[in-house]
């Protein structure tokens, strides 16, 4: 158990390009107090990404060390790079009784569920496959071959959406952010009076 009784851990997943980063940024613009875990990754920074802000960028040896030292709540390989959630800052945050948000891919979401059945899993879905393709291409942050690799994974991710507690369709950023805020602030099932 990671979250204990008081604080809720929410996991946001969804295929690459669906708009997870955009919707989370909108949520934080409105609610700067929403705490988002900063993952470690072996991927190279994109232009404009800053170490310690979007990610902690590490090499393979450092990532191996984090795994060996039980420094990660979960980790996964995704499209040729490794990504993981540092466990210490998350534990610290949840210990204060305040909610926390992870933005991670499907394999990681499953690991979190296995370790913390109370965690709330939210899937961000595209309004259509065509919208997903055009958003990923429109972002322009990966070469076409990498986009193809991410789209190939996206179908399996969409097929797994039924494993999640809630599905939010990102048709409109503001509307999707509203829904995510409601979910983040909803009391955890264990705390609902009368249950
Ligand atoms: P992810 O973090 O899921 O990989 P991003 O947040 O980087 O996705 O979004 C991918 C692209 O889609 C970006 O160019 C973003 O501006 C665009 N986008 C996000 N949400 C929407 C939306 N609701 N409608 C149209 N475009 C969107
Ligand atoms: P990107 O390279 O586009 O930043 O992220 C690729 C994928 O890795 C996204 O689906 C993102 O949610 C996921 N991801 C980011 N951080 C983590 C993490 O700590 N663990 C896992 N399992 N996935 C992550």
């Amino acid at each position: 158990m990671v979250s204990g009784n008081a604080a809720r851990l929410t996991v946001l997943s969804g295929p690459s390009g669906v708009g997870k980063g955009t919707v989370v940024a909108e949520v934080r613009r409105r609610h700067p107090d929403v705490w988002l875990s900063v993952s470690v990754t072996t991927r190279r920074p994109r232009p404009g990404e800053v170490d310690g802000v979007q990610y902690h960028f590490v090499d393979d040896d450092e990532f191996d060390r984090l795994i060996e030292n039980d420094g990660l709540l979960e980790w996964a390989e995704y499209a040729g790079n490794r990504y993981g959630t540092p466990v210490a800052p998350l534990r610290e945050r949840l210990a204060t009784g305040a909610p926390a948000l992870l933005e991670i891919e499907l394999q990681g979401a499953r690991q979190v569920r296995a370790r913390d059945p109370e965690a709330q899993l939210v899937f961000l879905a595209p309004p259509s496959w065509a919208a997903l393709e055009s958003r990923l291409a429109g972002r322009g942050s990966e070469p076409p071959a990498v986009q193809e690799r991410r789209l190939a994974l996206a179908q399996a991710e969409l097929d797994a959406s039924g494993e999640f507690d809630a599905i939010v369709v990102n048709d409109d950023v503001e509307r999707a952010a509203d829904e995510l805020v409601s979910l983040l602030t909803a009391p955890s099932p264990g705390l609902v009076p009368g249950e």
Side-chain angles (χ1 to χ4, degrees):
M1 179 81 59
V2 183
S3 62
N5 287 328
R8 190 105 202 245
L9 174 57
T10 298
V11 174
L12 182 70
S13 282
S16 183
V18 71
K20 298 180 297 296
T22 306
V23 171
V24 168
E26 175 60 17
V27 167
R28 297 187 80 202
R29 193 182 64 75
R30 295 187 207 170
H31 299 278
D33 52 318
V34 168
W35 187 89
L36 179 69
S37 166
V38 179
S39 298
V40 286
T41 184
T42 58
R43 150 163 102 54
R44 296 274 174 85
R46 293 178 186 139
E49 285 185 330
V50 176
D51 188 35
V53 178
Q54 287 83 10
Y55 285 103
H56 301 288
F57 296 98
V58 299
D59 61 17
D60 270 314
D61 289 347
E62 177 67 22
F63 204 97
D64 287 342
R65 266 196 298 276
L66 283 164
I67 296 171
E68 276 161 28
N69 298 333
D70 285 330
L72 301 177
L73 171 67
E74 60 72 37
W75 69 271
E77 184 162 339
Y78 176 90
N81 293 115
R82 290 188 292 172
Y83 299 79
T85 303
V87 73
L90 178 64
R91 284 225 169 93
E92 254 172 57
R93 168 70 182 180
L94 291 169
T96 68
L101 178 63
L102 307 184
E103 192 238 283
I104 63 177
E105 54 68 71
L106 176 64
Q107 304 166 71
R110 287 175 171 152
Q111 291 171 49
V112 173
R113 159 123 310 157
R115 284 188 74 166
D116 185 356
E118 302 257 297
Q120 166 172 243
L121 266 52
V122 180
F123 190 84
L124 193 66
S128 66
W129 180 259
L132 182 66
E133 280 182 319
S134 75
R135 284 180 197 176
L136 192 56
R139 184 170 68 188
S141 51
E142 289 91 10
V146 177
Q147 288 173 27
E148 282 306 316
R149 197 165 177 187
R150 287 176 173 234
L151 277 176
L153 295 168
Q155 190 56 59
E157 291 172 311
L158 292 174
D159 289 346
S161 61
E163 295 174 29
F164 286 70
D165 300 309
I167 298 178
V168 173
V169 177
N170 182 19
D171 45 4
D172 174 81
V173 174
E174 302 240 319
R175 204 202 52 74
D178 281 343
E179 254 188 80
L180 185 55
V181 168
S182 308
L183 289 164
L184 278 169
T185 51
S188 96
L191 296 177
V192 174
E195 275 195 13

